[in-house]
Amino acid sequence: MKKNKDIIIIGFALFSMFFGAGNLIFPPFIGMTSGSNWLTSFLGFVIADVGIILLSINAVAKAGSFQNVVGKAGKNFGLSLEVIMMLCLGPILVIPRTAATTFELSVLPLTSNINSAIFSVLFFGLTFILTIKPTKVMDIIGKFLTPILLLALGFLIIKGISSPIGELNNTNSDGLFVNGLTQGYQTMDALGIGGVTALIIASFRSKGYTNEKENISMALKSAMIAGAGLVIVYGGLAYLGATVSTMYDASISQTALLVNITNALLGKSGIILLGIIVAFACLTTSIGLTSVTAKYFEDVSNKKLKYSHLVAFICIFSCIASNLGVDKIIAIAAPILTIIYPVSILLVVMSIFNKYFVKPSVFKYSAYATLFISILNVIDSLGFNINFIHNLPLNSLGFNWVLPAIIGGLIGKFIIKEKAQNETIDKISA
């Protein structure tokens, strides 16, 4: 009984850590731009977010750490990738976005008497206070903050389903799946999966569970609870967006769309409810990710950098960066995520099926090929036409890196000779 209760509490906490700024504003937007075909975009979004989360937690829990996953492509390559991911997860992108979204959706619709600088100081001051003791983070979120968040979200979604705002626009389905994938990447949930998994397992240990296999099993069950919650909430929010597809187009900002939907459903009281939802969604994410990022850099520096000092630095830097605003942070994030997400997905999937991939060179050359195509995708998106990448298989689904990854893996398997193998051959020859 206690075990099940602990799994549910950690699952709720995990849901809140993942359900932050992007998770709230992206589903209504893909629903609005998809209209009657909102399920197509929704499927892409869920695969790129929940699917990757569950695969990554499974891989990391079994491998022991995220470095044991990405490091298979080379120690320096894996460490560089992980550091970049954690910086994006932390002070550069995700954590600042939580404060920016809270300001734009919780504060501005209600009052203009407080500016973003003052708000960000208050937001990250509270984050600092609630993050400074890492062993308490999951309980604070899971027991107290998540239930409030879920109740508020449930009320908004049920109202939107029972009393739709408008008709669903008949939209062409071309490109909607890829759009959903792209928006799913933008949530950036999978970036810090190594630190999140470590935090989950550490939380179970602090509750007295010492068997590592049991901890891994409990972590995976908690992840399933969080994943199920995310899918249900995403579906509800995407449908709400679809109900206003005849009223707005893609020129409306994502935050403004969510405010307008809530206002149409519940009026002024709805704006207050939205403020509560956003505040708790973003605060729980900020607390969880600040803890995860600080713990990661403390560990990677062999405790030369202190957890409390890192928490303070992350809060101060994020406080400054959050004043860029949501749209600018999203614009900065897009090319970075396009580069690092595919190679991360590749290494996670290969790690899960590692019994089929024995040679390190297979991981390396698959990763290098994926990274190369991802960089070309970004260059192409900036207006430098690189036509051949559009002719690669699965390009329409956003997976044009898959064939190059397979080719890279085959080169690593059949052409590249491992150093150890060469040394053995030399000894035999001698």
Side-chain angles (χ1 to χ4, degrees):
M1 186 68 178
K2 180 182 182 298
K3 184 189 292 187
N4 290 336
K5 180 182 176 183
D6 288 336
I7 289 171
I8 292 170
I9 289 173
I10 299 297
F12 274 19
L14 196 55
F15 168 86
S16 283
M17 287 175 67
F18 287 128
F19 191 81
N23 312 69
L24 189 59
I25 62 177
F26 292 135
F29 192 78
I30 64 170
M32 183 273 296
T33 54
S34 305
S36 58
N37 288 308
W38 67 274
L39 279 171
T40 303
S41 292
F42 170 69
L43 179 61
F45 185 85
V46 167
I47 289 173
D49 186 60
V50 180
I52 295 173
I53 287 171
L54 295 179
L55 280 175
S56 299
I57 289 178
N58 184 33
V60 172
K62 291 179 178 177
S65 72
F66 190 64
Q67 185 53 223
N68 288 343
V69 174
V70 294
K72 290 179 179 178
K75 185 177 179 181
N76 292 332
F77 181 93
L79 183 60
S80 299
L81 178 63
E82 190 174 29
V83 167
I84 292 170
M85 292 173 76
M86 293 305 295
L87 287 172
C88 291
L89 180 81
I92 294 178
L93 297 174
V94 183
I95 296 175
R97 193 175 68 185
T98 61
T101 303
T102 307
F103 180 72
E104 292 182 22
L105 290 177
S106 296
V107 178
L108 281 183
L110 299 175
T111 179
S112 58
N113 293 329
I114 181 171
N115 63 41
S116 62
I118 293 172
F119 173 78
S120 61
V121 170
L122 295 173
F123 184 91
F124 285 108
L126 186 56
T127 295
F128 177 82
I129 292 168
L130 295 176
T131 309
I132 204 65
K133 289 189 176 181
T135 57
K136 298 294 182 183
V137 169
M138 298 300 274
D139 278 350
I140 290 170
I141 295 174
K143 285 183 180 179
F144 305 110
L145 300 182
T146 307
I148 298 172
L149 170 61
L150 286 172
L151 285 172
L153 276 169
F155 183 77
L156 177 65
I157 291 170
I158 290 169
K159 174 65 176 175
I161 293 173
S162 61
S163 305
I165 299 170
E167 298 292 326
L168 276 61
N169 187 29
N170 289 321
T171 307
N172 191 305
S173 62
D174 292 344
L176 294 183
F177 182 80
V178 174
N179 181 53
L181 281 176
T182 304
Q183 299 292 317
Y185 291 160
Q186 278 280 4
T187 65
M188 296 184 264
D189 285 336
L191 291 184
I193 211 71
V196 171
T197 306
L199 185 61
I200 298 169
I201 293 175
S203 297
F204 281 124
R205 285 179 189 145
S206 71
K207 295 177 182 296
Y209 301 100
T210 56
N211 185 296
E212 284 304 302
K213 285 188 177 181
E214 183 181 40
N215 284 340
I216 291 172
S217 174
M218 293 170 72
L220 294 176
K221 289 176 182 177
S222 293
M224 292 299 292
I225 290 172
L230 288 170
V231 171
I232 292 168
V233 172
Y234 288 159
L237 291 172
Y239 177 75
L240 294 187
T243 63
V244 296
S245 55
T246 58
M247 305 174 190
Y248 304 105
D249 58 33
S251 63
I252 188 171
S253 75
Q254 287 148 322
T255 52
L257 176 66
L258 189 55
V259 170
N260 291 352
I261 289 173
T262 308
N263 187 50
L265 286 172
L266 301 168
K268 186 71 173 179
S269 60
I271 300 301
I272 296 172
L273 178 65
L274 178 64
I276 294 170
I277 293 172
V278 171
F280 278 98
C282 293
L283 182 60
T284 52
T285 300
S286 179
I287 293 167
L289 297 188
T290 299
S291 179
V292 165
T293 308
K295 185 69 171 63
Y296 170 78
F297 284 107
E298 181 186 49
D299 290 343
V300 84
S301 68
N302 293 320
K303 300 193 183 297
K304 291 177 182 178
L305 299 174
K306 301 298 182 185
Y307 176 84
S308 58
H309 297 166
L310 287 163
V311 169
F313 170 78
I314 291 166
C315 288
I316 292 169
F317 191 96
S318 299
C319 179
I320 297 168
S322 67
N323 288 279
L324 289 172
V326 174
D327 289 340
K328 284 186 179 178
I329 293 172
I330 290 173
I332 293 169
I336 300 173
L337 299 177
T338 300
I339 291 173
I340 65 176
Y341 245 111
V343 70
S344 176
I345 296 168
L346 171 80
L347 291 172
V348 163
V349 172
M350 290 181 72
S351 180
I352 291 173
F353 300 101
N354 61 355
K355 65 179 180 180
Y356 300 107
F357 307 106
V358 179
K359 290 179 66 176
S361 57
V362 175
F363 283 87
K364 286 183 181 180
Y365 285 85
S366 289
Y368 295 159
T370 301
L371 187 63
F372 177 67
I373 296 299
S374 298
I375 291 171
L376 292 183
N377 282 332
V378 170
I379 295 172
D380 181 76
S381 70
L382 295 175
F384 300 92
N385 293 327
I386 304 176
N387 293 325
F388 90 90
I389 61 173
H390 299 291
N391 297 322
L392 291 171
L394 304 178
N395 179 70
S396 63
L397 297 178
F399 290 102
N400 61 355
W401 48 268
V402 170
L403 179 62
I406 293 171
I407 294 172
L410 292 173
I411 291 172
K413 182 174 177 63
F414 296 110
I415 298 176
I416 304 299
K417 293 182 179 180
E418 301 293 344
K419 185 177 179 181
Q421 287 179 322
N422 290 338
E423 290 175 352
T424 303
I425 291 169
D426 291 340
K427 287 179 182 178
I428 294 171
S429 299

